[in-house]
Every structure is written in C-alpha cells, then in structure tokens.
Amino acid sequence: QFPEVVPLNVGGMFFTTRLSTLRRYEDTMLAAMFSGRHYIPTDAEGRYFIDRDGTYFGDILNFLRSGDLPPRERVRSVYKEAQYYSIGPLLDNLEDIQPLKGEKVRQAFLGLMPYYKDHLERIIEIAKLRAMQRKARFAKLKVCVFKEEMPITPYECPHFNSLRFERSESETKLFEHHCEVDVSFGPWEAVADVYDLLHCIVTDLSARGITVDHQCIGVCDKHLINHYYCKRPIYEFKITWW
C-alpha cells in the first residue's frame, strides 16, 4: 500500500506528489512502479527512491498533473526522460512542437540516404587518424556532396535528357565513377539541396562535440564522355580536435 501523498527521491532531488498523479497513465513505468506489484527502495527519510537524474523530473510531474509542457530549451531533455518513463502522451505532445517537429522533418530527408550515419563515422575516423599521424590539432579531408546523379554542364543542358535516356551500356559505365574524395554523399531526390545536407552534416558532427569548418574548393573534373565532365562539388572539411 502506498500513501495518498508520495514523497520521492529522484537521484538525490526531492519531490512530493499524489499517488493518482503517478498513476495518471496506466501504461507508464511510473504507474507500474507504484501499482503495488513491485518493490521500491526507500532512502533514510522514507522517501521512495528512483535511481535516475532528477533534473527534469519536475517537468514530468507537471505534465502528469496538468498537461503542462516544458519550455522549448528543455524539450529534448524532457523527451529523453519521457522515453525512459514510457509516457506515451507526453512523447506525442513533445514530438508535435519545436525543435522535435523540425527534427522529424529533417530525419525524413536524411532517410533518403541510407549510409548517412556510416559516412559521418567515416569522416570522424579519417580525421582522427590523420590528426594522430601528424600529431596535429586539426585534420582536413575532402567531401563530395552532390544532389544529381547525372553530370551537367551549363552549355549542354538542352542535350542532357537525350543523353540520359539513350546511353549505351558502355556509356553508362563511364558515368559510374567515384570522385577522388574521402567521403561522398548523394545523390537524392528532394527539394532540399546541397547546402541543406551540408547543414545536416555540420549539425550532427557538432552535436557530438566535433568542431568542423567547411568550404567549397572546386568540382570534380573527371572527363566522362564527349563534352561531359563530372562537375560534382568538392568541399574541404577541417576538423579541429582541441
């Protein structure tokens, strides 16, 4: 049996709430914990102890009490706590506001590139290896980011469609090449362009604590067929380690 008013110790932070609040949604971890079916340890003062960082537990309680949502700057952190406590209604609400709503749109775009995460890992590994080999503070690598699979040069655009659909097998192989870069992203079919993908790459590397600068240093000049050249943009990424 639990008291109607429940004292809590969540990772060393103290809270007090009604038992009915903890049981608000029956399919949550909190409802299961305080259902009477599980043993919950108590601290020296008799508070029920939850071995979890309590920084955002107040936001969890405020939602259970009255449906209040956290301010925008805490949305991501509260979302992680809501996942831990399996509070489905809170997760649904948080996913419908910024920044999580925008993140869903961004992930839908990144889903067009199945090897995106692998390419990020490759960027990190290459940069780390080069910095360690040179005993340097930073490392540079070349990254190709291209949206279109087929090559285009401005003065040949009117003839581009005929080449796309009337190529021989040997000509097709000429177009299948790898630019001389460390990592290559693309192609994809979406409104989002090269600069949008670059923003995603830098954002995701920064989220891992990696300082990165990038600049376009030209295009791939590989000759393919006739007057067609690759022309995919090449970017220099500079990863600074300390």
Side-chain angles (χ1 to χ4, degrees), residues 108-117 119 145-146 185-188 197:
F109 163 55
L110 293 178
L112 299 175
M113 283 158 283
Y115 300 108
Y116 176 76
K117 292 183 178 179
H119 291 340
V145 181
F146 65 102
F185 293 84
W188 67 87
L197 182 57

Side-chain angles (χ1 to χ4, degrees), residues 72-100:
R72 180 173 176 176
E73 63 271 15
R74 294 210 298 269
V75 165
R76 293 184 186 275
S77 298
V78 175
Y79 186 82
K80 292 181 181 179
E81 294 304 296
Q83 287 179 310
Y84 176 79
Y85 293 111
S86 301
I87 305 176
L90 177 53
L91 291 171
D92 292 340
N93 276 272
L94 293 176
E95 287 175 355
D96 202 39
I97 62 177
Q98 287 287 54
L100 294 182

